[in-house]
Amino acid sequence: NEPLRNALDVIGIGDDLKLQVVIASRRPIVKASSYHPYFHFERIPVDRLRKEPDPAKDPIQCMLRELATYLHVPIAPGPCQRIADRVYDLTGGHPGCAKLLLLAIADRGFVIRQESEWRRLFKTYVLPTIQREMLGSLADIDLIPVFWVLSVFGGFDQRLLGELLQRQLLPGPSLTDRREVQRYARKLRRRLMDTYLVHEPTVGKSMYSINHPVSRVLALSMQYLSPDRYRAITGAALEIFTDWLQSAEISAERSITSLIQIVYHWFKALEMEKAAGAISSKKEICGRISSALDTYLSVLLTTINEVDWPSYFPQLRDHWHQAEKLREAALRATGNRRCYEKLTHQVDDFVQNYL
């Protein structure tokens, strides 16, 4: 894809569109007869499908209803919503994976009763597609294990890469000097940016993000196939971000980012506990995180100077409301939106009280 990427750089288009063009250019040209005979929809976005609150506009629910209509199978709004939510969850909105998954669900009469069957569909249709289409074209194949580790995180920056290198959670040379670690982390960040699978921080944020479907599918695969490694990385993330939050040397912006990342990884850790049977109540998950959030919000009062509260606490509220991965993690861990809404009220009340 290098000639195409160079041409796109000359044109000067944005990274998101650049990724769409690269993916579109790699889509195979095949005869119509080689597609699944049941499924024909006119257009599909090539980067990522996103949930819509209106079922009539939600892309996966629309495709699901179209497929059911073609097969003359009635599907009620409730099951349609539940299937679509699970498809989003398993694919991260990757359009090709979603299409393959919907076809497999249709072949099973739109009924998936066991969790083991969902996992089998994921391993058969979703993970191989991401590995082939998104990771298989990487020129720098040494970055593949790096993407696996970073998929567990809600975002990353150069400092986080350095922390992970020092903890030997990322592949790399054994370095003891902190300056050498940061130099290597800087080079690693540049290599990651060259893949077009990493998005630069948006305005007001400090963390880079991995292409969402890639991040979601790799993280979920690790949960299924290497749960101990997933727990270890999540535990390390909680340690790192907690240290950052409590450090007086960390900037206010990083403190805010750290708090959101801590809550995100708390949800991920408790989700694993729930899957292992260590937690039986969804209410318990929300209660534990709500209590922890109060503690971490109190830490912000000591790490950010009082004169800066009016400047930075509104940023906390804005970043929280924009944290899509946090919202999704809360929904997966608890199974309902009430917990995230409760935590959002906690943050809003905190900001209001100290402005």
Side-chain angles (χ1 to χ4, degrees):
N1 293 323
E2 193 62 31
L4 175 60
R5 291 174 180 169
N6 292 337
L8 296 176
D9 284 336
V10 172
I11 297 172
I13 63 175
D15 285 341
D16 286 344
L17 182 55
K18 208 177 289 183
L19 179 62
Q20 291 185 37
V21 173
V22 170
I23 294 174
S25 71
R26 297 182 62 249
R27 296 180 69 175
I29 299 174
V30 298
K31 295 180 180 179
S33 60
S34 66
Y35 284 112
H36 196 288
Y38 297 154
F39 209 29
H40 304 280
F41 48 89
E42 293 181 358
R43 290 181 299 177
I44 185 168
V46 296
D47 56 348
R48 178 187 171 195
L49 303 173
R50 287 175 167 79
K51 286 185 182 181
E52 294 288 345
D54 183 356
K57 296 180 180 179
D58 183 79
I60 289 184
Q61 288 195 61
C62 288
M63 289 190 288
L64 187 58
R65 285 193 297 269
E66 178 186 342
L67 186 54
T69 300
Y70 187 88
L71 293 173
H72 307 290
V73 176
I75 184 166
C80 184
Q81 175 77 63
R82 288 193 293 272
I83 292 174
D85 286 346
R86 198 61 199 272
V87 171
Y88 276 117
D89 184 46
L90 293 177
T91 67
H94 185 281
C97 294
K99 179 178 177 179
L100 290 173
L101 211 53
L102 289 173
L103 295 175
I105 292 167
D107 288 339
R108 289 158 177 76
F110 300 95
V111 178
I112 308 293
R113 291 188 172 90
Q114 302 293 330
E115 172 63 23
S116 59
E117 182 65 12
W118 281 113
R119 293 195 178 197
R120 193 176 301 113
L121 292 174
F122 172 82
K123 294 174 186 176
T124 302
Y125 298 104
V126 179
L127 180 58
T129 301
I130 291 295
Q131 290 178 316
R132 182 178 63 253
E133 292 192 1
M134 308 299 281
L135 299 182
S137 63
L138 288 176
D140 191 347
I141 60 174
D142 292 337
L143 289 177
I144 292 178
V146 177
F147 277 112
W148 278 93
V149 174
L150 294 181
S151 70
V152 180
F153 290 80
F156 72 92
D157 59 9
Q158 184 174 308
R159 182 167 185 151
L160 179 59
L161 293 176
E163 292 276 2
L164 296 176
L165 286 166
Q166 286 187 309
R167 292 169 181 257
Q168 298 184 328
L169 289 172
L170 288 178
S174 179
L175 302 173
T176 56
D177 183 79
R178 191 167 185 83
R179 288 175 296 182
E180 290 181 353
V181 170
Q182 286 306 311
R183 277 196 294 268
Y184 190 86
R186 187 183 308 114
K187 293 178 181 177
L188 180 57
R189 177 182 60 80
R190 291 171 179 168
R191 288 166 60 197
L192 288 166
M193 289 302 300
D194 287 341
T195 65
Y196 295 97
L197 290 179
V198 173
H199 303 298
E200 293 191 28
T202 56
V203 176
K205 296 184 179 180
S206 60
M207 305 290 274
Y208 295 83
S209 61
I210 298 174
N211 172 270
H212 184 79
V214 172
S215 177
R216 174 59 188 153
V217 170
L218 294 185
L220 187 58
S221 178
M222 195 184 300
Q223 281 183 262
Y224 288 164
L225 304 177
S226 305
D228 291 340
R229 178 163 172 74
Y230 184 89
R231 291 189 189 95
I233 295 173
T234 300
L238 285 168
E239 290 178 6
I240 291 169
F241 289 117
T242 300
D243 288 345
W244 287 3
L245 179 65
Q246 296 172 342
S247 173
E249 299 175 1
I250 295 296
S251 67
E253 292 91 342
R254 192 178 293 275
S255 295
I256 290 170
T257 298
S258 297
L259 184 144
I260 293 175
Q261 290 291 326
I262 288 170
V263 178
Y264 171 76
H265 287 286
W266 258 93
F267 273 121
K268 305 281 273 187
L270 293 178
E271 180 186 4
M272 292 295 287
E273 287 190 34
K274 183 182 73 171
I279 298 176
S280 58
S281 169
K282 296 175 182 178
K283 185 177 181 180
E284 179 185 351
I285 293 177
C286 195
R288 287 171 63 176
I289 292 186
S290 176
S291 177
L293 178 58
D294 277 336
T295 300
Y296 293 125
L297 287 172
S298 298
V299 172
L300 276 185
L301 295 176
T302 60
T303 56
I304 299 180
N305 293 328
E306 185 173 353
V307 294
D308 294 327
W309 290 354
S311 299
Y312 290 110
F313 285 173
Q315 290 185 26
L316 167 63
R317 179 183 57 208
D318 294 343
H319 289 185
W320 180 281
H321 282 270
Q322 296 167 12
E324 181 181 3
K325 283 193 172 183
L326 173 60
R327 183 166 57 250
E328 291 180 356
L331 182 59
R332 284 194 296 269
T334 62
N336 63 66
R337 293 176 174 80
R338 294 178 182 175
C339 182
Y340 176 77
E341 292 171 355
K342 176 184 177 181
L343 298 178
T344 299
H345 287 312
Q346 274 183 254
V347 172
D348 289 344
D349 290 345
F350 171 84
V351 173
Q352 187 63 37
N353 288 339
Y354 290 99
L355 281 183

